[in-house]
Amino acid sequence: MASQPDLPMMQSEPAPEPAAQSNEIRDAIQQAIDEHRVILFMKGTPESPACGFSARTVAALQELEVPFAAVYVLPDPRIRQALSAISSWPTIPQLFVGGELIGGCDIVTEMYESGELEQALR
């Protein structure tokens, strides 16, 4: 049900200048957000979450049977830095729907329990 966006930042290529790397990563993240209606930036993968917060967020999405893309943020610390710069949200996971940040685990869990998450995802 979850898909992994093909982010160019994960490819092995000669390293560009640091500012260019930052812009490239930020552009790739923004493109992934724009291309996927529902996208979760998380620790681990939906099949193997690397933290309880990511696991709870994935569980809520799977319970609602909504297809979503997932990005594993731990392999490259620049992903987290660029994501936080885009979203102004410091923690992981981060759920985006329709290009807008919904929030992290606590907000997603609260919205799931109240029924608001299902409404936002439909």
Side-chain angles (χ1 to χ4, degrees), residues 21-78:
Q21 283 179 343
S22 178
N23 288 339
E24 178 183 330
I25 292 170
R26 186 181 289 209
D27 292 347
I29 291 170
Q30 188 62 58
Q31 182 177 353
I33 292 168
D34 293 343
E35 290 179 355
H36 298 277
R37 183 173 162 343
V38 181
I39 186 166
L40 177 64
F41 292 87
M42 62 181 292
K43 294 179 181 176
T45 64
E47 298 77 24
S48 184
C51 79
F53 298 114
S54 291
R56 285 201 306 263
T57 305
V58 166
L61 293 170
Q62 289 175 338
E63 184 67 27
L64 295 173
E65 299 181 349
V66 174
F68 64 96
V71 176
Y72 184 10
V73 301
L74 293 180
D76 186 339
R78 297 171 300 169

Side-chain angles (χ1 to χ4, degrees), residues 7 13 19-20 33 44 58 62 69 72 75 78-81 83 85-87 90 92 97 107 109 115 120 122:
L7 296 178
E13 295 179 2
I33 292 168
V58 166
Q62 289 175 338
Y72 184 10
R78 297 171 300 169
I79 298 171
R80 282 183 75 170
Q81 293 169 346
L83 178 62
I86 290 169
S87 67
I92 301 296
V97 176
I107 292 171
T109 300
R122 302 286 176 208

